[in-house]
Amino acid sequence: MRKSPLIANFRIAALCTLLVVPLWVFAEPPSERAATVQWMGQIESRRLDESSGLAASQRYEDILWSMNDSGSEAELFALTIRGEHVGRWSIDLPKPTDWEAMDSFQWRGKNYLLVADIGDNFAMRGSVSYTILEEPDARSLADDTILRPLISQHFVYPKGPRDSEAIAVNPARGEILVLSKRTKPPELYRLPLSLFPAKEPQEQTDAGEPITASYVTSLQGFAAPSRAEVDLYGGIWKYLAMPTGMSIADDRLLVTTLEHGYLFDLNNLVSPPYRVMLPFAGQREAIAFAKDRSDQAYVSHERKHGLRSADIYRVDIAPLRSNQPPSNEKQ
């Protein structure tokens, strides 16, 4: 029996759809690192709709810092590790274009916060930037205090614009690392922390012309969804392996995607990472190692459309044994 043109065209379209699916879709998953995930609580502040960045306080073990995504004012939120609201303060900055990430760090005996205006969904921005300010005392700061930035630095990438939601400071190596989101595989870039002045200015300093980030390497090993997961997650499966947050502690680089976490060895970034299994509970936006810990981290989620709940989870990662190599390469 002759097939109708409609049926024939449908089958051709279906075949073309299969052919354009990226080759990495059904890749084998990497080795896994045992982890215990504990729900800590809901983010209490309704104004913190999308905890797009997360950083552990360098002052208190039970305080986290966060901020909203694009479309919000330049302001920081302090919350407990259980999500309880501590405070909200404005920063003396113009309204951000697309805040996506933040970090905390100690440098020359003082505590600092870094917020990054690095979102670029359509790869159209001439430059992106980060801003550094001294970490305030969240438990004693007056509600009407305006936070003053110390430095804002614009930068570009060597091969054109990149979209990113992940930034991390490594004071031991004097560097700031930025991880691209939409390139496959994600690309890691380096900025020098040495641009930060030895003596902080009294008012904000604009560091002048944009600098160029240096390419470090491409991070391999982010597991694409399995065939079963494609059916489970529906249309969002193609985004599940994109990095949305990053944090550094000791020689560990911890990256989160929408689905899982990945633990890299900073001394051997080309080696495969360990996959840290995390719960899929909405759009995961950020990850941060706990204060002075390389085996514990916190993750935050978006409050969808400003409604429902947004959660904080604690992740306890099994330590490496003394006789175990720092990566999952076969010995």
Side-chain angles (χ1 to χ4, degrees), residues 41-62:
Q42 296 179 354
I43 296 177
E44 182 179 22
S45 174
R46 303 294 294 184
R47 292 186 62 123
L48 186 54
D49 290 336
E50 186 171 354
S51 177
S52 191
L54 193 68
S57 170
Q58 296 297 315
R59 290 176 173 268
Y60 300 103
E61 293 183 355
D62 62 339

Side-chain angles (χ1 to χ4, degrees), residues 73-133:
E73 299 299 322
E75 55 187 13
L76 289 182
F77 294 78
L79 59 157
T80 71
I81 57 176
R82 297 191 177 277
E84 300 157 324
H85 181 65
V86 175
R88 175 180 61 88
W89 299 275
S90 295
I91 306 177
D92 186 17
L93 282 174
K95 189 172 183 176
T97 300
D98 195 357
W99 266 5
E100 286 289 359
M102 70 178 300
D103 198 8
S104 63
F105 63 99
Q106 291 184 331
W107 181 249
R108 294 168 178 155
K110 290 190 176 182
N111 304 316
Y112 297 98
L113 299 174
L114 179 148
V115 289
D117 195 342
I118 53 176
D120 192 4
N121 290 337
F122 302 104
M124 296 176 60
R125 299 180 63 179
S127 67
V128 291
S129 67
Y130 66 80
T131 296
I132 294 175
L133 61 155

